[in-house]
């Protein structure tokens, strides 16, 4: 479910300290019935066991295939457009005590992990269109459970980057995020299958 931007910006997440120059583009919630305050690592493990970003719906896979094809044709994803070349990584703004909590980068995932704490994590990516951060947070709901929240923070690269983000907005909201919702909420329901659970 899409949420107002204030649901992310109004919370004391660590990412605010290191990415004040990014704009919060989207905030999305994922239901995790019965989740408690210490279940964020369980949710992350369930998402990873379910395939993470590598396992998506056919429609989402098609959209990403088109995106990667366009990126190859237009040079959007060349190494010189990425982290450490076109843009300074957000990771370099953070203390080592925070970045040392980052898990290894998952295979096939587009994001470079920044950190992972008991109730939030973040990763970043960059190409010639945008420098982006995906933030995941663990939030107590009015009903007393906890749920997963995802916020997408961006710095578009000039006018073309802003145009690109505007053009893909309907696809994010109508296809990509609903697909993520189905996968991640299913991962939570199936968490009992994880080793040690």
């Amino acid at each position: 479910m899409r949420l107002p931007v204030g649901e992310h910006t109004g919370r004391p997440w660590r990412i605010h300290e290191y990415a004040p120059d990014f704009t919060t583009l989207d905030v999305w919630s994922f239901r995790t019935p019965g989740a408690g305050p210490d279940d964020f690592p369980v949710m992350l493990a369930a998402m990873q066991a379910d395939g993470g970003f590598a396992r998506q719906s056919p429609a989402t896979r098609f959209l990403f295939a088109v995106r990667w094809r366009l990126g190859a044709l237009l040079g959007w994803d060349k190494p010189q457009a990425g982290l450490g070349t076109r843009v300074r990584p957000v990771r370099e703004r953070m203390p080592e005590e925070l970045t040392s909590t980052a898990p290894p980068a998952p295979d096939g995932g587009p994001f470079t992990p920044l950190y992972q704490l008991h109730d939030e994590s973040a990763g970043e990516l960059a190409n010639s269109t945008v420098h982006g951060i995906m933030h995941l947070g663990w939030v107590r709901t009015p009903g007393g459970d906890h749920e997963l929240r995802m916020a997408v923070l961006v710095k578009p690269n000039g006018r073309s980057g802003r145009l690109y983000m505007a053009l893909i907005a309907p696809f994010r909201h109508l296809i990509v995020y609903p697909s993520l919702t189905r996968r991640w909420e299913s991962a939570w329901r199936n968490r009992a299958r994880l080793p040690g659970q």
Side-chain angles (χ1 to χ4, degrees):
M1 178 174 68
R2 191 177 184 187
L3 297 175
V5 165
E7 284 293 321
H8 172 76
T9 57
R11 295 184 180 275
W13 301 120
R14 291 292 301 273
I15 196 64
H16 298 321
E17 183 178 348
Y18 304 104
D21 49 338
F22 284 70
T23 299
T24 303
L25 188 66
D26 294 314
V27 182
W28 211 264
S29 70
F30 304 85
R31 293 179 298 262
T32 51
D38 300 321
D39 283 332
F40 184 53
V42 176
M43 181 61 190
L44 295 180
M47 291 159 58
Q48 188 64 32
D50 191 55
F53 276 101
R55 189 173 173 209
Q56 297 294 339
S57 70
T60 302
R61 284 199 306 272
F62 173 77
L63 285 176
F64 277 106
V66 170
R67 162 58 184 86
W68 299 130
R69 187 69 170 154
L70 282 173
L73 290 171
L74 301 174
W76 289 344
D77 305 309
K78 291 181 179 177
Q80 60 265 33
L83 296 172
T85 50
R86 185 182 71 78
V87 298
R88 178 182 173 216
V90 172
R91 183 182 186 88
E92 293 181 2
R93 306 177 185 182
M94 297 178 168
E96 197 272 336
E97 67 183 39
L98 185 59
T99 59
S100 67
T101 66
D107 293 338
F111 291 92
T112 299
L114 291 170
Y115 63 88
Q116 182 177 312
L117 304 175
H118 76 283
D119 64 347
E120 66 173 299
S121 68
E124 68 177 323
L125 62 73
N127 54 47
S128 66
T129 63
V130 71
H131 186 186
I133 296 172
M134 183 183 71
H135 179 272
L136 298 176
W138 201 237
V139 175
R140 190 173 191 268
T141 67
D145 290 341
H146 283 66
E147 70 180 15
L148 182 69
R149 299 274 178 89
M150 177 185 73
V152 176
L153 290 67
V154 299
K155 275 204 305 186
N157 186 18
R159 185 176 178 182
S160 61
R162 290 190 295 275
L163 177 61
Y164 170 78
M165 295 308 296
L167 287 173
I168 68 169
F171 299 104
R172 292 195 318 269
H173 298 150
L174 297 175
I175 298 174
V176 177
Y177 296 159
S179 174
L180 274 182
T181 299
R182 290 188 294 274
R183 292 227 57 80
W184 289 357
E185 290 183 354
S186 173
W188 172 255
R189 291 192 301 272
N190 295 325
R191 69 194 181 282
R193 300 177 187 173
L194 291 173
Q197 295 300 312

